[in-house]
Amino acid sequence: EPEVTQTPSHQVTQMGQEVILRCVPISNHLYFYWYRQILGQKVEFLVSFYNNEISEKSEIFDDQFSVERPDGSNFTLKIRSTKLEDSAMYFCASRERGGRDEQYFGPGTRLTVT
Amino acid sequence: ELKVEQNPLFLSMQEGKNYTIYCNYSTTSDRLYWYRQDPGKSLESLFVLLSNGAVKQEGRLMASLDTKARLSTLHITAAVHDLSATYFCAGNTGTASKLTFGTGTRLQVTL
């Protein structure tokens, strides 16, 4: 069964460093999302991406964040200058056009900022 | 803006008992979703509820949707230990169909 994959599974970085989180969505899906979950808290929407552009973003997704689909298969989330409060689990999700509108989630990347 | 609330936040129940998790949402949502999350793991889709009165069942879990009351429920029948996890409901809004999650209900089933 097709699935969303994410790399790395765990990333440790120092405050102020740039990180890139990578996702490979399901191949026939057209909508892509990033969510984050701070430990023990609920899942929060960051950004959605469709047709090579951001379709919606939350107030969390400020100028320090960016997304890209560089090569037609990968979908990346970049944090330019990480802060301690960026420590969280980051989930990528994708969905196909139409259908049940169900989003399929990847296994997540645990980001730890020290 | 859609807001989603769940209760209870934590539920400890004995094996064999029944219980219900409630999910209230503030404005119209196109769909209502239930996800399961095991500790340190990703979100596993359980149910997608599409319309008023929708009821779906899978094993010991049954989800329902009342759009007029803006309420969805997840009913657990004769709980078993394997159901221990955190359960999230979520609604979707906007053209991009972003998900807005509830706070989650941590379910612990004890022997």
Side-chain angles (χ1 to χ4, degrees):
Chain A
E1 188 175 325
E3 56 184 22
V4 177
T5 59
Q6 289 184 245
T7 53
S9 57
H10 190 193
Q11 172 100 41
V12 181
T13 190
Q14 287 191 324
M15 199 166 50
Q17 296 295 305
E18 175 183 287
V19 294
I20 298 176
L21 310 184
R22 291 185 167 78
C23 168
V24 179
I26 295 173
S27 63
N28 64 333
H29 285 191
L30 299 177
Y31 294 85
F32 314 114
Y33 306 83
W34 284 101
Y35 294 84
R36 80 169 186 193
Q37 184 180 33
I38 294 171
L39 186 64
Q41 297 187 22
K42 68 178 179 181
V43 180
E44 300 173 290
F45 168 76
L46 291 178
V47 65
S48 59
F49 193 85
Y50 171 71
N51 202 25
N52 282 320
E53 60 183 21
I54 290 174
S55 46
E56 191 169 358
K57 59 183 181 180
S58 72
E59 54 193 33
I60 301 169
F61 193 88
D62 62 21
D63 293 344
Q64 293 300 311
F65 292 87
S66 62
V67 289
E68 200 176 34
R69 188 153 159 83
D71 57 12
S73 63
N74 289 283
F75 179 51
T76 62
L77 174 69
K78 186 193 305 189
I79 309 175
R80 257 180 276 283
S81 176
T82 50
K83 307 183 193 113
L84 293 176
E85 53 264 38
D86 293 328
S87 295
M89 188 75 118
Y90 288 81
F91 293 106
C92 172
S94 70
R95 82 176 164 93
E96 63 181 321
R97 188 174 184 173
R100 297 195 316 166
D101 288 337
E102 188 171 356
Q103 293 182 26
Y104 294 85
F105 283 78
T109 293
R110 179 169 297 285
L111 177 65
T112 302
V113 182
T114 61
Chain B
E1 183 184 332
L2 176 64
K3 290 191 183 350
V4 180
E5 292 184 358
Q6 283 179 243
N7 69 84
L9 296 182
F10 179 71
L11 178 55
S12 179
M13 54 191 298
Q14 286 184 318
E15 274 202 334
K17 299 290 187 185
N18 304 333
Y19 210 83
T20 301
I21 299 170
Y22 297 89
C23 173
N24 290 91
Y25 55 98
S26 60
T27 64
T28 302
S29 175
D30 293 332
R31 310 274 192 271
L32 200 291
Y33 304 79
W34 284 95
Y35 286 88
R36 168 183 171 142
Q37 186 181 41
D38 291 296
K41 302 291 186 183
S42 188
L43 294 147
E44 175 193 351
S45 177
L46 295 174
F47 301 107
V48 182
L49 301 169
L50 304 180
S51 59
N52 190 42
V55 176
K56 290 197 173 178
Q57 182 158 8
E58 182 76 34
R60 300 174 189 275
L61 300 177
M62 184 174 72
S64 66
L65 179 63
D66 180 344
T67 57
K68 291 178 183 173
R70 293 182 186 152
L71 171 68
S72 180
T73 60
L74 182 67
H75 186 73
I76 302 146
T77 302
V80 292
H81 182 69
D82 285 352
L83 290 179
S84 297
T86 299
Y87 293 85
F88 290 95
C89 65
N92 70 328
T93 55
T95 52
S97 230
K98 71 172 188 188
L99 292 177
T100 299
F101 284 83
T103 46
T105 296
R106 187 169 151 231
L107 174 66
Q108 186 174 65
V109 182
T110 57
L111 297 170

